[in-house]
Amino acid sequence: MAHWRGYLLGLAALCAAGPAYAAPSTYDEAFAKSFAETCIPGRLGYGTTQAAAVEAGWAEVPRSDDARLDALMAASERGAADPELKATFVFKTYARDIDGQRHYLVVSSTTAVVTDPADPWIVTGCYLYNFDATVPVDPAPISAVLEGEISRTEERDGAVSHVWGPTCPYPRTLDTYLNFVPVGSTVAPDVPFAGVGLSFTTSEPDPGETVPESYC
């Protein structure tokens, strides 16, 4: 499954339900803060997202830094190589600690031909991972960052997926996914990862296009 296609988690098979949360923890708040300062400032471009990541304290690492990251990127490459997609997929991988825990970041750019080869669809992706997470992240701080409500929460076999649609403060942003998949879950092979993963993608503007700061 390519990164740019998001994390579906077999949503059609999930039941509309979600776990109850207490107040957000220090970690939940730190995760949301890192998302806000890493993914949002440069979201309209691949290079600008990389620059924002470095500014936020992420250090570039090889994908082999963690076997789980390497396996995830291999799956993404296989998904992007689908000839029906006619896509190209490039990425950089980074690492840093959040609240004392090792996290990985993937910044990607996917170019796909939807209809006209002269007018491809270019999507910048920003993905945060905590492969060692054993509990889901409270979505409330993410909602605060996005300034929007969750559009769908679904759960299966311990896996939880929260989805936000595009929100008015961030033009050209696509759906945002916050997922938790426990080790051993039947969902894990479909994602494929265990732990916490956040997917944030933005459609790159056309050359010369002026993007408003907000639609609000």
Side-chain angles (χ1 to χ4, degrees):
M1 181 183 298
H3 270 82
W4 70 280
R5 300 178 74 180
Y7 301 112
L8 299 183
L9 289 183
L11 289 178
L14 302 185
C15 56
Y21 293 92
S25 68
T26 300
Y27 171 75
D28 297 332
E29 297 285 3
F31 185 91
K33 180 177 183 293
S34 184
F35 161 57
E37 64 189 15
T38 300
C39 295
I40 290 177
R43 71 184 191 283
L44 294 176
Y46 182 47
T48 51
T49 299
Q50 292 177 58
V54 172
E55 179 68 21
W58 293 89
E60 187 174 351
V61 297
R63 58 192 277 180
S64 58
D65 194 72
D66 189 298
R68 296 167 294 184
L69 177 64
D70 191 43
L72 179 61
M73 299 320 302
S76 296
E77 288 174 322
R78 289 193 297 271
D82 184 338
E84 292 186 5
L85 296 179
K86 300 177 182 178
T88 59
F89 176 61
V90 295
F91 62 89
K92 298 279 189 179
T93 51
Y94 302 81
R96 64 163 283 192
D97 285 356
I98 299 175
D99 199 36
Q101 301 179 51
R102 182 74 161 178
H103 287 67
Y104 287 97
L105 170 74
V106 177
V107 177
S108 70
S109 177
T110 302
T111 301
V113 175
V114 180
T115 53
D116 182 1
D119 185 24
W121 189 42
I122 304 174
V123 175
T124 297
C126 189
Y127 308 87
L128 275 66
Y129 298 102
N130 179 353
F131 296 125
D132 297 315
T134 57
V135 295
V137 169
D138 189 319
I142 303 297
S143 291
V145 170
L146 294 173
E147 299 181 41
E149 298 299 320
I150 294 170
S151 60
R152 186 169 67 248
T153 295
E154 307 194 42
E155 185 175 14
R156 188 184 78 194
D157 192 23
V160 182
S161 178
H162 303 288
V163 186
W164 292 260
T167 56
C168 67
Y170 306 115
R172 301 196 69 89
T173 297
L174 307 175
D175 288 351
T176 299
Y177 296 79
L178 175 64
N179 296 319
F180 169 70
V181 181
V183 173
S185 171
T186 57
V187 173
D190 299 327
V191 179
F193 71 89
V196 164
L198 185 147
S199 162
F200 181 77
T201 52
T202 303
S203 175
E204 185 174 309
D206 294 329
E209 179 182 350
T210 299
V211 179
E213 291 187 5
S214 172
Y215 286 143
C216 298

